[in-house]
Amino acid sequence: MLDFLTSNTTTIQHGLTSFPIILSITLPILLCILLLLPYLNPTTPPPKGCRRLGLSPSQRSNLHDEYSPKYTHGLPSTATEPESGIPAWRIKALFTYPIKSCAGVELEAADVIETGLKYDRLFCFAEFFPSPQPATASTNTSPSTSNEKENDEANGTWTARTLRDRDFRQLALLRPEIWIPDPSSPTYSPTNPETLSNGVLLIHYPLPPSHNPIITLLRTLHILPSQSHFTIPLDPPPNSSTQFPLTPVKIWKDIPLAHNYAHLLPAALKDLLTYDTTLPPHQRRKLSLFRASHSHRREIYRNAPRKQEIGFQPVTGFADAYPIHLLNMASVRDVAANCADEIPELSVRRFRANVIVQGPGKFVEDEWKRIVIGDSSGDGVEVYTACRTIRCKLPNVDPDTGVRHPREPDRTLKRYRRIDVGDLTNACLGMQCVPAVKEFTLRVNDPITVLETGEHCYIKMLAPGEKVEGV
């Protein structure tokens, strides 16, 4: 027993004696890490001479209470809020999505142009699919020369990629910020590149996972950054047509010309979005980012009002089909209640709407044909609710994690929301909208007034000269 106590006492004394030595070694290392931390994981500097659009980081989202039970029940269209007196039927939140399938930017007020909310679906990622080669063609897999690459692009198709595509769920994790020139900024100059391009997108993205455990640990401890960023011009700068060439991009049945931003994509971003990084880069499908062209819009004819009715033919950029997507809070809460076992908190943001409204009861919007947003006495804007939104499996992807649920909410929607005779194989949620004027502004709390209701049919209406196709 005496030997045991003597042994332990010696061990404790040794530990106490060596503690200052350990401290003298580790303390300088910790101090160095703390001093270097701002340089190892720096904050992103703001673009020169610009201001950021959208809610500030300190502002609370207008969807902060989206899971409240109060949104499960509708109110009369004439009701008002008891405390504020504002109409019960009104805009709850506004979102624009600068890059198709990437994170949205929440706004208090949104300028609307002929393609929809300004900056909405302005950019889109696309993959290059080479044309099938003849059986006798060479199978050489060595890296191509620049001339060969140009020839390759003439023999294939750039095809838009979205969260619908299994290998592109990581798009949900890209977070763009819209920065526009601000003459009041101390760094503003009319000759700034940011000014000449009418602003920039600052795009944050997670770095691909590292195979090095030390790097993984340092990222977890926030000593090394786990995110990176890059900027792109909102408009191609003047005299830059060779840098941003107009290139055909296939989106659904349309193949508009769009500006190719391929040379601005970081290699790490391509690795993040590449479905198989085991392939050497020259064997992977090429990936690029495209900007919709001002002069090559996609005209809309299906169910949309015609030029004779509103004075112009509706157009869109990289949106699926129509300029504006509207969603009703009560309708989403009903869907959420029906799949709560699988997804306890189903966010409205999964459905990527531009205009989210509160007040109407669940699915009341299914029958809207025309509405006014804003003051119905004369200052409001008439909007055609052209058709219901046919849903795909895109909302199965969690916008916060990029994780795709194997079933929901697609399964729930198809169980009781296949209601449109134009497409009884798919479910509906939300409305596709076409404003009757080209330019105006939407604001949170703008009232909603219904002008006309009626039956909808999601059916392909024909453009002049277009051939008949099956529904």
Coordinates of all heavy atoms in Angstrom, one line a residue, residues 381-416:
V381 N -51.5 46.7 -59.1 CA -51.1 46.1 -60.4 C -51.9 44.9 -60.7 O -52.0 44.0 -59.8 CB -49.6 45.8 -60.4 CG1 -49.2 45.1 -61.7 CG2 -48.7 47.0 -60.2
E382 N -52.5 44.8 -61.9 CA -53.3 43.6 -62.2 C -52.3 42.5 -62.7 O -51.4 42.7 -63.4 CB -54.2 43.9 -63.4 CG -55.1 42.8 -63.8 CD -56.1 43.1 -64.9 OE1 -56.3 44.3 -65.1 OE2 -56.5 42.2 -65.6
V383 N -52.6 41.3 -62.1 CA -51.8 40.2 -62.4 C -52.6 39.0 -62.8 O -53.6 38.7 -62.2 CB -50.9 39.8 -61.2 CG1 -50.2 38.5 -61.4 CG2 -50.0 40.9 -60.8
Y384 N -52.3 38.4 -64.0 CA -53.0 37.2 -64.4 C -52.4 36.0 -63.7 O -51.2 35.7 -63.8 CB -52.8 37.0 -65.9 CG -53.7 38.0 -66.8 CD1 -53.3 39.3 -66.9 CD2 -54.8 37.5 -67.4 CE1 -54.0 40.2 -67.6 CE2 -55.5 38.4 -68.2 CZ -55.1 39.8 -68.3 OH -55.9 40.6 -69.1
T385 N -53.2 35.2 -63.0 CA -52.8 33.9 -62.4 C -53.1 32.9 -63.5 O -54.2 32.3 -63.6 CB -53.5 33.6 -61.1 OG1 -54.9 33.9 -61.3 CG2 -53.0 34.5 -60.0
A386 N -52.1 32.7 -64.4 CA -52.3 32.0 -65.7 C -52.6 30.5 -65.5 O -53.5 30.0 -66.2 CB -51.0 32.1 -66.5
C387 N -52.0 29.9 -64.5 CA -52.3 28.5 -64.3 C -51.7 28.0 -63.0 O -50.9 28.7 -62.4 CB -51.7 27.6 -65.5 SG -49.9 27.6 -65.5
R388 N -52.1 26.8 -62.6 CA -51.5 26.3 -61.3 C -50.1 25.8 -61.6 O -49.7 25.5 -62.7 CB -52.4 25.1 -60.9 CG -53.8 25.4 -60.6 CD -54.6 24.2 -60.1 NE -56.0 24.5 -59.9 CZ -57.0 24.1 -60.7 NH1 -56.7 23.4 -61.8 NH2 -58.2 24.4 -60.4
T389 N -49.3 25.7 -60.5 CA -47.9 25.3 -60.7 C -47.9 23.8 -60.5 O -48.3 23.2 -59.5 CB -47.1 25.9 -59.5 OG1 -47.1 27.3 -59.6 CG2 -45.6 25.5 -59.7
I390 N -47.5 23.1 -61.6 CA -47.3 21.7 -61.6 C -46.0 21.4 -60.9 O -44.9 21.8 -61.3 CB -47.3 21.1 -63.0 CG1 -48.6 21.4 -63.7 CG2 -47.0 19.6 -63.0 CD1 -49.8 20.8 -63.1
R391 N -46.1 20.5 -59.8 CA -44.9 20.3 -59.0 C -44.1 19.0 -59.4 O -44.7 18.1 -59.9 CB -45.3 20.1 -57.5 CG -46.2 21.1 -56.9 CD -45.7 22.6 -56.9 NE -44.3 22.9 -56.8 CZ -43.9 24.1 -56.5 NH1 -44.8 25.1 -56.3 NH2 -42.6 24.4 -56.5
C392 N -42.8 19.1 -59.3 CA -41.9 18.0 -59.5 C -41.3 17.6 -58.2 O -41.8 18.0 -57.1 CB -40.8 18.4 -60.5 SG -39.8 19.7 -59.9
K393 N -40.2 16.8 -58.2 CA -39.6 16.4 -56.9 C -38.6 17.4 -56.4 O -38.0 17.1 -55.4 CB -39.0 15.0 -57.2 CG -40.0 13.9 -57.4 CD -39.2 12.6 -57.5 CE -40.2 11.4 -57.8 NZ -39.6 10.1 -57.9
L394 N -38.5 18.5 -57.0 CA -37.5 19.5 -56.5 C -37.7 19.9 -55.0 O -36.7 20.0 -54.3 CB -37.5 20.7 -57.4 CG -36.4 21.8 -57.1 CD1 -36.1 22.5 -58.5 CD2 -36.9 22.8 -56.1
P395 N -39.0 20.0 -54.5 CA -39.1 20.4 -53.1 C -38.7 19.3 -52.2 O -38.6 19.5 -50.9 CB -40.6 20.6 -53.0 CG -41.1 21.0 -54.4 CD -40.2 20.2 -55.3
N396 N -38.4 18.1 -52.7 CA -37.8 17.1 -51.8 C -36.4 17.4 -51.2 O -36.0 16.9 -50.2 CB -37.7 15.7 -52.5 CG -39.1 15.1 -52.7 OD1 -40.1 15.7 -52.8 ND2 -39.1 13.8 -53.0
V397 N -35.8 18.4 -51.9 CA -34.4 18.8 -51.4 C -34.6 19.9 -50.3 O -35.2 20.9 -50.5 CB -33.6 19.4 -52.6 CG1 -32.2 19.9 -52.1 CG2 -33.5 18.3 -53.7
D398 N -33.9 19.6 -49.2 CA -33.9 20.6 -48.1 C -33.0 21.8 -48.5 O -31.8 21.6 -48.8 CB -33.3 19.9 -46.8 CG -33.4 20.8 -45.6 OD1 -33.3 22.0 -45.7 OD2 -33.6 20.2 -44.5
P399 N -33.6 23.0 -48.5 CA -32.8 24.1 -49.0 C -31.6 24.5 -48.0 O -30.7 25.2 -48.5 CB -33.8 25.3 -49.0 CG -34.9 24.9 -48.1 CD -34.9 23.4 -48.1
D400 N -31.7 24.0 -46.8 CA -30.6 24.3 -45.8 C -29.4 23.4 -45.9 O -28.3 23.7 -45.6 CB -31.1 24.4 -44.4 CG -32.1 25.5 -44.2 OD1 -31.9 26.6 -44.8 OD2 -33.2 25.3 -43.6
T401 N -29.7 22.1 -46.3 CA -28.7 21.1 -46.2 C -28.3 20.5 -47.6 O -27.3 19.9 -47.8 CB -29.1 19.9 -45.3 OG1 -30.3 19.3 -45.9 CG2 -29.4 20.4 -43.9
G402 N -29.2 20.7 -48.6 CA -29.0 20.0 -49.9 C -29.4 18.5 -49.8 O -29.1 17.8 -50.8
V403 N -29.9 18.0 -48.7 CA -30.2 16.6 -48.6 C -31.6 16.4 -49.3 O -32.6 17.1 -49.0 CB -30.2 16.1 -47.2 CG1 -30.7 14.7 -47.0 CG2 -28.8 16.3 -46.6
R404 N -31.7 15.4 -50.1 CA -32.9 15.0 -50.8 C -33.7 13.9 -50.1 O -33.1 12.8 -49.8 CB -32.6 14.5 -52.3 CG -33.8 14.3 -53.1 CD -33.4 13.7 -54.5 NE -32.4 14.4 -55.1 CZ -32.6 15.5 -55.9 NH1 -33.8 15.9 -56.1 NH2 -31.5 16.1 -56.5
H405 N -34.9 14.2 -49.7 CA -35.8 13.2 -49.1 C -36.2 12.2 -50.1 O -36.6 12.7 -51.3 CB -37.0 13.9 -48.4 CG -37.7 13.0 -47.5 ND1 -38.6 12.0 -47.9 CD2 -37.7 12.9 -46.1 CE1 -39.1 11.3 -46.9 NE2 -38.5 11.8 -45.8
P406 N -36.2 10.9 -49.9 CA -36.5 10.0 -50.9 C -38.0 10.0 -51.4 O -38.3 9.5 -52.5 CB -36.2 8.6 -50.3 CG -36.3 8.9 -48.8 CD -35.8 10.3 -48.6
R407 N -38.9 10.6 -50.5 CA -40.3 10.5 -50.9 C -41.1 11.8 -50.8 O -41.9 12.1 -51.6 CB -41.0 9.5 -49.9 CG -40.6 8.1 -50.1 CD -41.1 7.2 -49.0 NE -40.7 7.6 -47.7 CZ -39.5 7.2 -47.2 NH1 -38.7 6.4 -47.9 NH2 -39.1 7.6 -46.0
E408 N -40.8 12.6 -49.7 CA -41.7 13.7 -49.4 C -41.0 15.1 -49.7 O -39.8 15.2 -49.7 CB -42.0 13.7 -47.9 CG -42.8 12.5 -47.5 CD -44.2 12.4 -48.0 OE1 -44.6 13.4 -48.8 OE2 -44.9 11.5 -47.7
P409 N -41.9 16.1 -50.1 CA -43.4 16.1 -50.0 C -44.0 15.6 -51.3 O -45.2 15.7 -51.4 CB -43.7 17.5 -49.8 CG -42.6 18.3 -50.5 CD -41.4 17.4 -50.3
D410 N -43.2 15.1 -52.3 CA -43.8 14.7 -53.6 C -44.9 13.6 -53.4 O -46.0 13.7 -54.0 CB -42.7 14.1 -54.4 CG -43.2 13.7 -55.8 OD1 -43.6 14.5 -56.6 OD2 -43.1 12.5 -56.1
R411 N -44.7 12.6 -52.6 CA -45.7 11.6 -52.4 C -47.0 12.1 -51.8 O -48.1 11.8 -52.3 CB -45.1 10.5 -51.5 CG -46.1 9.3 -51.2 CD -45.5 8.2 -50.4 NE -45.2 8.7 -49.0 CZ -44.7 7.9 -48.1 NH1 -44.4 6.7 -48.3 NH2 -44.5 8.4 -46.9
T412 N -46.9 13.0 -50.8 CA -48.1 13.5 -50.2 C -48.8 14.4 -51.2 O -50.1 14.3 -51.3 CB -47.7 14.4 -49.0 OG1 -47.2 13.5 -48.0 CG2 -48.9 15.2 -48.5
L413 N -48.1 15.2 -52.0 CA -48.8 16.1 -53.0 C -49.5 15.2 -54.0 O -50.7 15.5 -54.3 CB -47.7 17.0 -53.6 CG -47.3 18.2 -52.9 CD1 -46.0 18.7 -53.5 CD2 -48.3 19.2 -52.8
K414 N -48.9 14.2 -54.5 CA -49.5 13.3 -55.5 C -50.7 12.6 -54.9 O -51.6 12.1 -55.7 CB -48.5 12.4 -56.1 CG -47.6 13.1 -57.0 CD -46.6 12.1 -57.7 CE -45.7 12.9 -58.7 NZ -44.7 12.0 -59.3
R415 N -50.8 12.4 -53.6 CA -51.9 11.7 -53.0 C -53.2 12.4 -53.1 O -54.3 11.8 -53.3 CB -51.6 11.3 -51.6 CG -52.5 10.3 -50.9 CD -52.1 9.8 -49.6 NE -52.0 10.9 -48.6 CZ -51.0 11.2 -47.9 NH1 -49.8 10.7 -48.2 NH2 -51.0 12.2 -47.0
Y416 N -53.1 13.8 -53.0 CA -54.4 14.5 -53.0 C -54.4 15.8 -53.7 O -55.4 16.6 -53.7 CB -54.9 14.7 -51.5 CG -54.2 15.8 -50.7 CD1 -54.9 17.0 -50.3 CD2 -52.8 15.7 -50.4 CE1 -54.3 18.0 -49.6 CE2 -52.2 16.7 -49.6 CZ -52.9 17.8 -49.2 OH -52.4 18.8 -48.5

